[in-house]
Amino acid sequence: MRKGYPSDIKREQFEVIRPLLESARKKTAPRKVELYEVFCAV
């Protein structure tokens, strides 16, 4: 697991927006990186 940063949102907050992000996803191969980690990196 990576080090947390002050700019990271809480997982509870992320769960609110997860459905929106999931609905925008095209059907492709399964993810290799957790969506939460990608979101926080951006």
Side-chain angles (χ1 to χ4, degrees):
M1 185 155 231
R2 70 173 179 77
K3 172 185 169 189
Y5 292 93
S7 60
D8 289 354
I9 65 171
K10 294 182 173 149
R11 286 197 181 264
E12 296 82 20
Q13 294 170 313
F14 178 73
E15 290 305 319
V16 173
I17 62 170
R18 178 188 290 274
L20 178 64
L21 297 174
E22 292 286 352
S23 69
R25 180 176 186 230
K26 295 180 180 175
K27 299 298 177 190
T28 59
R31 285 189 181 94
K32 295 181 181 179
V33 179
E34 187 179 354
L35 188 57
Y36 173 76
E37 298 296 332
V38 174
F39 185 82
C40 286
V42 173

